């Protein structure tokens, strides 16, 4: 429970908490099991919700525990929201490599707008990206906030400690025991010899994570013998990419129907074992008393070693429920070509 929260509902605050409350499924899920360490961290998570919305002076008290019977407790937080702060002024300190008028676009909270902590932090990250995209890695940007409690106005100074210009000497991929090196490297948007673009490196890390082959992806610079040249290291941890499903169902047409499906998201058509080539395979067979279906789908996401996907779908369907006079067999397929369009879209 929460007391004193006027502008954020208790339901929204509970969503941010790691500690859960019990429900009718707790017997199976253990939701609601009291964990003091989580509750202590939740206090800061709750406070951040208010600060992100501009209540920069919000105070959240220690959790108060009240016993309800022998095996249950209630947890309460006292909240003092304080005033809603507006941004009165901002400035950039410590910038010597670039004129500040080139960096203005990175400030995401304009003067007079609500001074939410999330927006101020986003401005700091945009300034880091400004330097990082130009090769000045390890640039630190810290927003220092001064509050005028009487006027409910915040002044922000983005204090910059500039890094040095860095270059990529080599790219090292580690942890891919099954996935082929080329499958990983073709998703990396930087090449040896160019400046160490932190924004491109982070985008490459996201692309590798989105493949679904790895449970963990981390990219970082590793020192070399030359002070301004770094090896770009990608640490990977592979996860299971195959799936096997079997099912049985009832249908008015088929009476009893069964199916089996096998899929592999990291298939290798020309290797053995057939895993690690980055292709997607799906096989599905469905059998009933009045019909049977067979489907095969294969997608090569880098056809001809280009960012061009080629998909092949084949099917055979036997239908014996359409008429008493005949059966119908349909056999066919479809090829699909796909190409990325800008950053996050695709045309097929």
């Amino acid at each position: 429970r929460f007391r004193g929260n006027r502008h954020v509902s208790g339901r929204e605050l509970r969503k941010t908490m790691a500690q859960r409350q019990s429900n009718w499924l707790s017997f199976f899920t253990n939701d609601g099991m009291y964990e003091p360490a989580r509750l202590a961290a939740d206090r800061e998570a709750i406070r951040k919700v208010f600060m992100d919305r501009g209540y920069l002076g919000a105070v959240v008290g220690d959790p108060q525990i009240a016993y309800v019977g022998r095996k249950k407790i209630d947890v309460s937080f006292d909240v003092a929201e304080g005033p809603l702060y507006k941004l009165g002024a901002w400035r950039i300190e410590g910038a010597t490599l670039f004129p500040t008028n080139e960096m203005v676009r990175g400030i995401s909270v304009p003067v007079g707008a609500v001074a939410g902590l999330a927006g101020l932090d986003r401005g700091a990250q945009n300034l880091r990206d400004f330097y990082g995209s130009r090769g000045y890695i390890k640039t630190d940007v810290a927003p220092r906030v001064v509050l005028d409690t009487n006027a409910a106005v915040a002044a922000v100074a983005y204090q910059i400690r500039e890094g040095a210009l860095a270059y990529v000497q080599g790219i090292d991929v580690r942890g891919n025991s099954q996935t082929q090196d080329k499958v990983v490297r073709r998703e990396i948007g930087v090449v040896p010899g160019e400046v160490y673009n932190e924004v491109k490196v982070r985008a490459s890390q996201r692309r590798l994570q989105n493949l679904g082959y790895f449970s963990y992806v981390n990219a970082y610079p590793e020192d070399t013998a030359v002070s301004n040249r770094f090896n770009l290291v990608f640490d990977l941890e592979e996860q299971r990419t195959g799936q096997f499903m079997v099912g049985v169902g009832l249908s008015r047409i088929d009476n009893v129907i069964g199916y089996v499906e096998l899929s592999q998201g990291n298939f290798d058509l020309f290797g053995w074992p057939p895993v690690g080539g980055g292709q997607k395979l799906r096989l599905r067979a469905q059998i009933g008393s009045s019909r049977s279906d067979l489907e095969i789908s294969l997608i090569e996401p880098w056809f001809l070693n280009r960012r061009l996907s080629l998909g092949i779908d084949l099917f055979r369907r036997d239908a014996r429920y359409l008429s008493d006079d005949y059966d119908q067999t349909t056999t066919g397929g479809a090829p699909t070509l796909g190409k990325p369009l800008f950053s996050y879209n695709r045309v097929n």
Side-chain angles (χ1 to χ4, degrees), residues 265-313:
N266 191 10
F267 184 67
D268 186 0
L269 182 62
F270 303 107
W272 188 262
V275 179
Q279 300 154 359
K280 301 184 185 303
L281 174 70
R282 178 176 172 267
L283 305 174
R284 180 183 174 93
Q286 182 171 286
I287 300 175
S289 59
S290 299
R291 69 174 179 182
S292 59
D293 300 335
L294 178 64
E295 300 175 23
I296 302 174
S297 173
L298 178 67
I299 299 176
E300 168 56 73
W302 281 74
F303 183 55
L304 301 177
N305 291 319
R306 299 173 179 269
R307 293 188 69 85
L308 180 71
S309 68
L310 173 65
I312 301 293
D313 294 289

Side-chain angles (χ1 to χ4, degrees), residues 22-326:
S22 60
N23 54 57
W24 65 278
L25 285 173
S26 295
F27 180 78
F28 301 100
T29 64
N30 278 336
D31 277 352
M33 186 72 70
Y34 173 48
E35 299 186 43
R38 282 188 174 185
L39 210 54
D42 284 339
R43 179 188 173 193
E44 287 305 311
I46 294 166
R47 181 169 176 262
K48 189 175 184 302
V49 172
F50 289 97
M51 296 180 72
D52 285 346
R53 300 196 177 197
Y55 299 94
L56 298 177
V59 176
V60 179
D62 290 326
Q64 300 174 26
I65 308 297
Y67 286 89
V68 182
R70 290 192 310 112
K71 293 186 177 182
K72 291 189 176 183
I73 59 173
D74 280 348
V75 180
S76 301
F77 290 93
D78 286 324
V79 177
E81 292 181 347
L84 179 66
Y85 282 85
K86 301 290 184 68
L87 183 63
W90 61 265
R91 65 182 185 275
I92 297 174
E93 299 177 350
T96 62
L97 296 171
F98 305 99
T100 56
N101 62 353
E102 291 184 15
M103 306 162 68
V104 169
R105 286 180 295 177
I107 307 301
S108 56
V109 180
V111 172
V114 173
L117 183 63
L120 301 181
D121 287 342
R122 188 163 57 250
Q125 183 61 52
N126 290 343
L127 292 175
R128 289 188 205 100
D129 289 346
F130 180 88
Y131 279 85
S133 64
R134 290 159 175 79
Y136 292 89
I137 69 172
K138 301 182 180 179
T139 294
D140 182 60
V141 181
R144 183 170 59 86
V145 183
V146 178
L147 302 180
D148 183 344
T149 55
N150 293 324
V153 170
V156 181
Y158 290 98
Q159 298 176 326
I160 298 177
R161 186 166 53 83
E162 296 174 325
L165 182 62
Y167 294 86
V168 178
Q169 178 162 305
I171 299 175
D172 194 6
V173 178
R174 301 171 183 171
N176 55 320
S177 58
Q178 285 190 327
T179 306
Q180 297 173 17
D181 245 32
K182 70 172 186 178
V183 173
V184 177
R185 292 181 182 274
R186 66 195 184 189
E187 302 294 339
I188 299 174
V190 296
V191 296
E194 67 179 20
V195 296
Y196 194 112
N197 188 323
E198 287 184 315
V199 175
K200 285 186 177 181
V201 170
R202 195 161 61 245
S204 302
Q205 182 175 326
R206 280 198 302 268
R207 280 202 297 269
L208 289 173
Q209 192 76 63
N210 291 340
L211 289 176
Y213 307 159
F214 310 107
S215 60
Y216 173 80
V217 180
N218 185 35
Y220 58 90
E222 187 177 67
D223 293 340
T224 66
V226 183
S227 61
N228 69 333
R229 292 187 173 272
F230 297 85
N231 285 329
L232 172 57
V233 178
F234 284 89
D235 270 340
L236 312 172
E237 187 174 311
E238 292 180 315
Q239 64 183 4
R240 189 173 300 168
T241 55
Q243 192 174 45
F244 178 72
M245 295 188 295
V246 178
V248 177
L250 297 175
S251 165
R252 184 174 59 83
I253 295 174
D254 298 285
N255 296 323
V256 178
I257 187 170
Y259 76 89
V260 58
E261 182 172 319
L262 173 67
S263 62
Q264 173 55 258
N266 191 10
F267 184 67
D268 186 0
L269 182 62
F270 303 107
W272 188 262
V275 179
Q279 300 154 359
K280 301 184 185 303
L281 174 70
R282 178 176 172 267
L283 305 174
R284 180 183 174 93
Q286 182 171 286
I287 300 175
S289 59
S290 299
R291 69 174 179 182
S292 59
D293 300 335
L294 178 64
E295 300 175 23
I296 302 174
S297 173
L298 178 67
I299 299 176
E300 168 56 73
W302 281 74
F303 183 55
L304 301 177
N305 291 319
R306 299 173 179 269
R307 293 188 69 85
L308 180 71
S309 68
L310 173 65
I312 301 293
D313 294 289
L314 302 174
F315 62 86
R316 179 184 174 90
R317 301 188 179 103
D318 290 322
R320 298 179 292 280
Y321 60 87
L322 298 173
S323 171
D324 294 333
D325 300 320
Y326 66 88

